[in-house]
């Protein structure tokens, strides 16, 4: 099939989801109120609680949740065929991710911008909160540690991306001052930022930069990992308007320009989907598509990490409650669009089926490199862009989003330590600096303690990321469902997705449990059991609360 039809069908379906389904969700289910005083106004402090223009906040939310995952997952999942990946991304975006993201923002906004973990204690119970916090911590640990490895690898493999990646930070700092101090209008700032960012992308191939192959016993990848965590620690302590908001906003615009270029190239070149629609000849050792498809593609269909961002940073910046529809649901549409691009690049960016099979020779292959290589070929054939420049453009897209996710992820991990400080009355842990040091220390301990001198320890627990992340999404939907029942509102829009998600996630955890046992990987086997038990216990807690509510024992006004 020609990729043009895939593109049009995907974008058309997601547009219909936003203009029709999200309107129904916002007005009839969550009943967003433009007059509700948001926590951003109630607790405004100029650091974390900052009322923010919805377009700027959309940029923060979207780029924070996007990262590299909506590229990696779909570009791996096409090994089962591009049709299953396409269907899960489209339907997952419309009926799962948008509902989940907007719902998490609404739930947090209605409860003083509390995180989903803390909110669980109020809505469900203290036992559920404790278990939920463990799952949240594991997800953040995986995201931060692994994305550092992914970014470091891309900066080493594509050193033409170094200047635009780090130059984007300077651009964001300048934009932050211009927006916050209202020195220039948002449109002018956007134009200035985009021109500056793409100028840096043009400079990248001309002035490639690389770190020494070894320094103080660390490889170049390990050096980048240390530098990235040092940067993320500083970024997580700065007021959100200084770096986090402007960087995310300009990255969001940059992504849409990149997507427009890639989509335009598809429309012009009209490449064929070389990958099989349904792959009946998967490489030996490839796991069953069901349930693994639904945890391999997380971000881009639905992801628990989104709920952490929604209740961790986004809800603290919400100017009007009605902005939750645009920021949350349309943010999910943006991520779905990125995953659609990843599917097309990985399925139509190769010259022949043999070339595609050479890359997808085993499960787990493809990922970012398939997206960059395939997308660069489409850009070159469609709009005549130089292949090296196209690779730099797509690499910068992937790195910048992974970087913004690290920025937000480390800030969220800091919040977790601070919340633990409040729960256990540890005043020193409630302070930002010590909590940040604990967050960075945990990530570095995993990276270098488990991975040795190359800092790749995060990859050790990465096989459990998909299941743990999707479990978190299901549990977030459980919390939202309980809130809806307490308010006497229809719950089917969240109940159906959460039942499907929990079923697939628990099935995947059990399947992985068998795999880890067969491999005698006792560390992952034990961790899998911990996550599985936590999932079952939290689900039982929520089921108990729902049962009481069904009997009319309690109703929230």
């Amino acid at each position: 099939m020609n990729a043009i039809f895939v593109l049009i069908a995907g974008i058309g379906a997601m547009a219909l989801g936003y203009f029709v389904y999200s309107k129904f969700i916002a007005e009839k289910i969550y009943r967003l109120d433009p007059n509700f005083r948001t926590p951003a106004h109630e607790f405004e402090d100029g650091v974390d609680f900052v009322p923010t223009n919805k377009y700027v906040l959309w940029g923060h939310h979207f780029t924070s949740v996007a990262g590299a995952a909506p590229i990696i997952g779909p570009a791996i999942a096409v090994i089962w065929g591009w049709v299953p990946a396409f269907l899960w991304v489209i339907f997952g975006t419309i009926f799962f991710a948008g509902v989940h993201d907007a719902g998490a923002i609404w739930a947090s906004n209605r409860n003083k911008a509390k995180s989903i973990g803390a909110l669980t204690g109020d809505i469900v119970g203290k036992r559920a909160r404790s278990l939920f916090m463990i799952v949240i911590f594991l997800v953040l640990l995986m995201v931060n540690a692994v994305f550092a490895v992914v970014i470091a690898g891309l900066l080493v493999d594509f050193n033409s991306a170094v200047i635009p990646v780090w130059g984007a930070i300077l651009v964001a700092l300048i934009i932050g001052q211009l927006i916050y101090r209202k020195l220039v209008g948002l449109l002018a700032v956007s134009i200035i930022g985009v021109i500056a960012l793409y100028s840096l992308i043009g400079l990248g191939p001309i002035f490639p930069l690389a770190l020494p192959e070894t320094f103080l016993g660390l490889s170049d990848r390990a050096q980048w990992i240390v530098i990235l965590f040092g940067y993320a620690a500083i970024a997580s302590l700065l007021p959100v308007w200084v770096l986090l908001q402007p960087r995310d906003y300009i990255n969001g615009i940059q992504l849409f320009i990149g997507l427009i270029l890639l989509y335009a190239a598809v429309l012009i070149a009209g490449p064929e989907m070389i990958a099989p629609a349904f792959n009946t000849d998967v490489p030996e050792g490839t796991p069953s598509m069901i349930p693994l498809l639904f945890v391999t593609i997380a971000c881009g269909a639905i992801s628990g990490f989104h709920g952490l961002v929604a209740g961790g940073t986004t809800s603290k910046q919400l100017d009007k409650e009605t902005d939750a529809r645009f920021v949350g649901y349309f943010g999910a549409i943006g991520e779905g669009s990125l995953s659609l691009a990843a599917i097309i690049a990985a399925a139509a960016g190769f010259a022949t089926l043999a070339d595609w099979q050479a890359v997808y020779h085993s499960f787990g292959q493809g990922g970012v490199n398939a997206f960059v290589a395939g997308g660069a070929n489409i850009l070159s054939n469609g709009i005549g862009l130089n292949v090296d420049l196209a690779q730099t453009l797509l690499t910068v897209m992937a790195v910048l989003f992974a970087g913004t996710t690290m920025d937000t992820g480390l800030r969220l991990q800091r919040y977790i330590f601070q919340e633990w400080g409040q729960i256990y009355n540890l005043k020193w842990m409630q302070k930002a600096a010590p909590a940040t040091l604990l967050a960075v220390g945990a990530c570095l301990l995993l990276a270098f303690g488990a991975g040795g001198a190359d800092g790749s320890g995060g990859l050790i627990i990465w096989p459990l990321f998909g299941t743990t992340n999707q479990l978190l999404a299901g549990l977030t939907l459980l919390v939202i469902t309980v809130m809806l029942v307490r308010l006497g509102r229809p719950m089917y829009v969240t109940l159906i997705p959460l039942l499907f998600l929990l079923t697939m996630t628990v099935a995947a955890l059990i399947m992985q449990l068998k795999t880890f046992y067969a491999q005698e990987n006792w560390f992952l086997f034990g961790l899998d059991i911990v996550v599985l038990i936590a999932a079952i216990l939290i689900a039982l807690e929520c089921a108990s609360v729902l049962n009481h509510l069904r009997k009319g024992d309690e109703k929230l006004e």
Side-chain angles (χ1 to χ4, degrees):
M1 179 180 287
N2 195 288
I4 292 176
F5 298 109
V6 178
L7 173 61
I8 293 174
I11 294 298
M14 286 189 283
L16 192 64
Y18 178 72
F19 288 112
V20 178
Y21 193 58
S22 78
K23 188 173 185 292
F24 164 73
I25 295 295
E27 294 179 356
K28 304 299 182 182
I29 306 299
Y30 298 141
R31 300 179 190 175
L32 303 180
D33 182 1
N35 297 316
F36 181 82
R37 191 182 183 204
T38 66
H41 289 282
E42 185 178 356
F43 306 112
E44 185 173 0
D45 61 6
V47 179
D48 294 319
F49 291 86
V50 180
T52 303
N53 178 286
K54 71 176 183 179
Y55 298 105
V56 176
L57 185 56
W58 171 85
H60 156 69
H61 180 80
F62 167 48
T63 55
S64 292
V65 301
I71 295 173
I72 296 173
I76 290 176
V78 293
I79 197 168
W80 289 300
W82 65 264
V83 169
F86 171 81
L87 292 176
W88 173 228
V89 163
I90 300 305
F91 286 102
T93 296
I94 296 170
F95 298 108
F96 287 66
V99 173
H100 171 276
D101 289 19
I105 296 173
W106 165 74
S108 178
N109 181 68
R110 285 285 170 147
N111 290 273
K112 301 185 183 300
K114 290 183 179 180
S115 71
I116 293 299
L119 190 55
T120 304
D122 298 337
I123 301 297
V124 182
K126 292 182 178 180
R127 286 177 299 185
R129 178 191 63 187
S130 298
L131 293 167
F132 213 143
M133 296 281 275
I134 293 172
V135 175
I136 291 171
F137 180 77
L138 286 174
V139 168
L140 289 173
L141 189 63
M142 292 176 190
V143 167
N144 292 333
V146 173
F147 275 23
V149 176
V150 171
I151 296 170
L154 287 170
L155 291 177
V156 170
D157 295 339
F158 302 95
N159 50 34
S160 61
V162 172
I163 285 180
V165 165
W166 291 100
I169 296 172
L170 178 61
V171 173
L173 289 169
I174 296 172
I175 287 175
Q177 295 295 322
L178 294 175
I179 293 176
Y180 187 73
R181 302 186 187 285
K182 299 180 180 179
L183 300 175
V184 182
L186 189 59
L187 177 60
V189 165
S190 304
I191 295 172
I192 293 170
V194 168
I195 291 173
L197 195 57
Y198 276 89
S199 297
L200 290 169
I201 291 175
L203 288 175
I206 301 173
F207 301 103
L209 295 178
L211 293 176
E213 290 188 9
T214 58
F215 180 73
L216 297 177
L218 297 177
S219 67
D220 46 3
R221 278 176 168 78
Q223 294 170 51
W224 277 125
I225 290 172
V226 172
I227 292 171
L228 285 165
F229 275 117
Y231 156 74
I234 295 171
S236 70
L237 289 170
L238 292 173
V240 291
W241 64 267
V242 173
L243 180 58
L244 191 67
Q245 282 182 357
R247 175 172 172 164
D248 291 353
Y249 173 67
I250 201 65
N251 283 351
I253 295 176
Q254 181 259 350
L255 169 68
F256 265 88
I257 292 175
L259 283 178
I260 289 170
L261 291 175
L262 186 56
Y263 287 162
V266 170
L267 294 173
I268 294 170
E272 292 293 322
M273 301 292 280
I274 297 298
F278 296 92
N279 193 2
T280 57
D281 187 26
V282 296
E284 185 178 354
T286 301
S288 170
M289 181 179 71
I290 298 175
L292 264 295
L293 170 69
F294 304 102
V295 298
T296 300
I297 300 179
C299 296
I302 182 172
S303 165
F305 181 73
H306 295 198
L308 301 185
V309 176
T313 57
T314 303
S315 62
K316 293 178 175 64
Q317 303 169 59
L318 198 68
D319 184 33
K320 294 181 180 179
E321 188 174 71
T322 47
D323 291 347
R325 177 193 174 200
F326 180 80
V327 174
Y329 199 102
F330 192 63
I333 294 292
E335 186 163 84
S337 301
L338 178 57
S339 288
L340 176 61
I343 291 171
I344 292 174
F350 295 87
T352 65
L353 178 59
D355 291 337
W356 183 85
Q357 290 173 331
V359 172
Y360 289 88
H361 56 82
S362 64
F363 182 70
Q365 299 302 309
V368 174
N369 288 338
F371 168 74
V372 171
N377 288 335
I378 292 174
L379 286 169
S380 177
N381 295 331
I383 60 177
L385 201 62
N386 176 273
V387 172
D388 289 338
L389 183 59
Q391 287 184 340
T392 300
L393 171 66
L394 296 175
T395 301
V396 169
M397 279 175 58
V399 171
L400 287 181
F401 287 116
T404 53
T405 301
M406 270 193 70
D407 291 359
T408 303
L410 200 62
R411 187 180 289 260
L412 292 172
Q413 205 165 5
R414 185 246 289 179
Y415 291 162
I416 292 295
F417 277 109
Q418 288 179 297
E419 286 182 7
W420 275 334
Q422 293 171 357
I423 292 171
Y424 299 108
N425 197 28
L426 300 172
K427 292 184 178 180
W428 65 271
M429 194 184 289
Q430 297 175 32
K431 297 178 180 179
T436 299
L437 288 176
L438 287 173
V440 172
C443 293
L444 290 176
L445 182 62
L446 174 62
F448 291 96
D454 65 353
S456 61
L459 296 176
I460 292 175
I461 61 174
W462 183 248
L464 274 173
F465 170 75
T467 46
T468 309
N469 186 45
Q470 296 302 71
L471 168 64
L472 184 58
L475 298 179
T476 300
L477 285 170
L478 269 173
V479 173
I480 298 170
T481 301
V482 171
M483 280 190 64
L484 289 174
V485 173
R486 284 185 169 181
L487 289 164
R489 298 177 190 173
M491 65 174 180
Y492 64 90
V493 296
T494 56
L495 183 62
I496 293 173
L498 85 83
L499 290 176
F500 177 84
L501 207 57
L502 286 179
T503 300
M504 291 300 166
T505 301
V506 171
L509 281 167
I510 294 172
M511 179 182 291
Q512 288 181 313
L513 200 63
K514 295 178 181 178
T515 301
F516 298 146
Y517 180 81
Q519 295 173 346
E520 297 185 355
N521 190 332
W522 305 121
F523 175 71
L524 288 181
F525 181 82
L527 195 58
D528 193 313
I529 289 177
V530 170
V531 174
L532 185 58
I533 291 174
I536 293 171
L537 292 177
I538 296 172
L540 289 175
E541 290 281 342
C542 290
S544 175
V545 172
L546 284 172
N547 186 49
H548 284 300
L549 292 173
R550 184 180 60 83
K551 294 178 179 179
D553 293 349
E554 182 182 359
K555 187 171 180 179
L556 187 67
E557 297 299 332

